[in-house]
């Protein structure tokens, strides 16, 4: 793992820096590359544009680690509103939810109760809105799976995320395949100890391919698993394309997923080739930790952002 990655992930946890950044106009200008807006209206407009370009969406109201029941309730309410707006606007979008945003730090029961409210509302929508539970740092992995498995029996419109960098993930994927639930497969965005996660990219990539192969195998197909391949890695994407072609798997039996603002060219290319592509669209005022994790993934983004900020801030430039 690179030092830069460690630095950015450590900075993502700094509350004072987060407070400073979220009140700073220049920092917000930079973050807009990855964040669709601060309000639901702005985000819905972005979803419309993405849909018009053939891209599906999953919506994330930014926020994590709330420390009071009132904040957890407010975050859940925001999702209820987003579900109403998704259906009223007639856009093609699911939602992605972080359990710490809806009270996981206050206990499993709080997050589970909030998620149940969201799932009930999402299931009532016509058609139902799909709810994906994001996976956070390893302190939460076991509890997140626990809540998912408890609710999966009651709701069809819920899915979870698995992280290829964790050693445990092959076992988690077996359990998901057994219940016919297709996870979003990602590499993993947090700083984890070598005792639980592969530190080297080559090992994480190899794990990703093993897990992808498993998600497309005969048992997974029989059980109706619909995998979401979440990566911007061209080598993995090419491998998946070749693998599904070889196995005669339809292009509508799975989807690729990428983050808003990352590899827009590749997103469009995959749509043009007839693959399903879903974009993860975050919005809201609590964008700081999410943004820092994006910089951690690709420190070159820092130079890109500095360059574009300098040009934006030049006298006479439009902001
Ligand atoms: C839809 C979606 C949902 C996700 N949900 C979760 C989640 O719930 N939990 C979690 O831990 N992680 C999540 N992630 C993040 C994921 O774990 C990785 O940190 C992130 O996707 C970077 O890994 P990569 O697979 O793109 O490959 P990498 O090996 O990091 O990158 C491969 C190539 O992709 C491009 N690229 C990658 N990141 C960027 C970037 N930020 N800016 C520009 N180019 C970039 C570069 O060309 C790079 O060489 C999600 C990712 C996606 C796409």
């Amino acid at each position: 793992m690179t030092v830069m990655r460690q630095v950015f992930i450590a900075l993502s946890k700094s509350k004072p820096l987060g407070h400073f950044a979220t009140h700073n106009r220049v920092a917000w200008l930079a973050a807009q590359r990855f964040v669709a807006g601060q309000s639901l209206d702005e985000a819905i407009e972005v979803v419309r544009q993405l849909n018009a370009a053939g891209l599906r969406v999953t919506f994330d109201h930014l926020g994590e680690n709330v420390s009071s029941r009132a904040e957890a309730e407010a975050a859940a309410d925001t999702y209820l509103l987003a579900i109403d707006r998704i259906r009223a606007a007639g856009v093609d979008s699911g939602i992605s939810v972080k359990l710490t945003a809806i009270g996981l730090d206050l206990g499993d029961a709080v997050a589970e109760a909030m998620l149940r409210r969201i799932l009930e509302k999402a299931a009532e929508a016509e058609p139902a809105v799909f709810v994906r539970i994001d996976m956070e740092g390893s302190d939460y992995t076991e509890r997140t799976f626990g809540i998912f498995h408890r609710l999966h029996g009651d709701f069809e419109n819920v899915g979870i995320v698995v992280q290829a960098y964790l050693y445990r993930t092959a076992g988690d994927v077996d359990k998901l395949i057994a219940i016919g639930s297709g996870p979003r497969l990602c590499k993993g965005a947090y700083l984890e100890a070598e005792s639980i996660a592969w530190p080297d990219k080559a090992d994480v990539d190899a794990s990703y391919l093993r897990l992808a192969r498993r998600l497309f195998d005969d048992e997974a197909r029989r059980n109706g698993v619909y995998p979401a391949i979440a990566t911007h890695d061209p080598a993995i994407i090419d491998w998946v394309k070749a693998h599904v072609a070889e196995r005669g798997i339809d292009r509508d039996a799975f989807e690729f997923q990428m983050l808003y603002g990352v590899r827009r060219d590749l997103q469009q290319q995959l749509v043009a080739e007839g693959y399903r592509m879903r974009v993860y669209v975050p919005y809201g005022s609590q964008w700081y930790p999410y943004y820092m994790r994006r910089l951690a993934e690709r420190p070159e983004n820092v130079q890109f952002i500095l360059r574009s900020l300098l040009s934006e801030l030049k006298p006479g430039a439009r902001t």
Side-chain angles (χ1 to χ4, degrees):
M1 181 182 302
T2 65
V3 175
M4 283 295 267
R5 173 151 191 261
Q6 293 182 19
V7 168
F8 278 111
I9 294 182
L11 288 177
S12 77
K13 295 186 178 147
S14 163
K15 290 231 150 96
L17 210 55
H19 181 81
F20 170 77
T22 44
H23 291 83
N24 183 288
R25 191 182 67 91
V26 176
W28 169 238
L29 277 178
Q32 278 177 54
R33 171 157 183 225
F34 299 114
V35 180
Q38 303 219 16
S39 71
L40 183 55
D41 283 345
E42 287 168 300
I44 288 277
E45 193 40 47
V46 168
V47 177
R48 261 192 229 287
Q49 288 163 15
L50 292 169
N51 283 173
L55 299 151
R56 295 145 200 257
V57 169
T58 181
F59 232 176
D60 167 37
H61 180 253
L62 291 164
E64 38 203 274
N65 296 103
V66 300
S67 51
S68 73
R69 179 146 188 138
E71 286 173 294
E73 299 264 5
D77 288 347
T78 308
Y79 273 109
L80 303 186
L81 197 65
I83 292 166
D84 276 338
R85 288 298 307 283
I86 286 169
R87 282 295 158 261
V91 292
D92 182 348
S93 181
I95 55 174
S96 289
V97 180
K98 283 188 176 46
L99 294 188
T100 67
I102 52 170
L104 193 55
D105 287 336
L106 305 168
D108 291 16
V110 177
E112 189 171 329
M114 299 302 147
L115 186 61
R116 185 173 282 280
R117 281 176 65 208
I118 295 171
L119 283 168
E120 279 166 357
K121 174 94 181 177
E124 279 164 14
E126 194 51 61
V129 170
F130 189 77
V131 179
R132 179 76 68 182
I133 306 173
D134 283 344
M135 190 56 78
E136 303 178 67
S138 57
D139 288 351
Y140 302 107
T141 312
E142 189 60 31
R143 295 164 64 200
T144 303
F145 274 110
I147 292 173
F148 164 77
H149 282 288
R150 281 198 292 281
L151 290 174
H152 181 261
D154 294 341
F155 297 94
E156 285 177 2
N157 57 323
V158 63
I160 198 165
V161 177
V162 294
Q163 297 157 321
Y165 63 13
L166 294 183
Y167 305 142
R168 61 173 283 161
T169 297
D172 293 323
V173 164
D174 286 346
K175 289 184 196 140
L176 294 173
I177 288 176
I179 59 168
S181 178
R184 171 196 297 155
L185 173 60
C186 67
K187 290 190 186 176
Y190 298 83
L191 204 54
E192 301 295 0
E194 279 191 48
S195 54
I196 59 165
W198 279 285
D200 294 333
K201 176 176 160 55
D203 293 320
V204 177
D205 290 357
S207 164
Y208 197 107
L209 294 186
R210 280 194 302 277
L211 294 165
R213 187 185 290 278
R214 176 79 174 102
L215 288 169
F216 287 116
D217 75 9
D218 290 342
E219 185 191 356
R221 308 270 309 130
R222 266 198 313 277
N223 292 358
V225 165
Y226 176 86
I229 303 297
T231 183
H232 316 93
D233 191 326
I236 291 181
I237 290 168
D238 286 346
W239 182 93
V240 168
K241 284 166 143 180
H243 187 68
V244 294
E246 193 182 305
R247 289 188 43 74
I249 295 171
D250 287 348
R251 289 180 185 189
D252 58 6
F254 71 100
E255 65 186 36
F256 288 111
Q257 295 191 350
M258 292 190 200
L259 301 176
Y260 177 70
V262 180
R263 291 304 312 264
R264 281 174 279 216
D265 54 338
L266 192 50
Q267 295 177 14
Q268 283 303 168
Q269 184 193 317
L270 288 167
V271 171
E273 290 171 0
Y275 294 99
R276 291 185 172 186
M277 163 59 60
R278 189 176 301 277
V279 182
Y280 183 102
V281 174
Y283 76 98
S285 56
Q286 301 301 308
W287 47 264
Y288 172 77
Y290 175 87
Y291 175 56
M292 293 306 271
R293 288 197 295 275
R294 301 296 76 82
L295 295 185
E297 280 149 15
R298 198 158 180 265
E300 296 94 305
N301 282 339
V302 179
Q303 287 169 21
F304 167 89
I305 279 157
L306 286 177
R307 267 203 311 276
S308 45
L309 279 181
L310 283 175
S311 63
E312 297 246 18
L313 292 174
K314 271 200 296 232
R318 286 181 17 210
T319 53

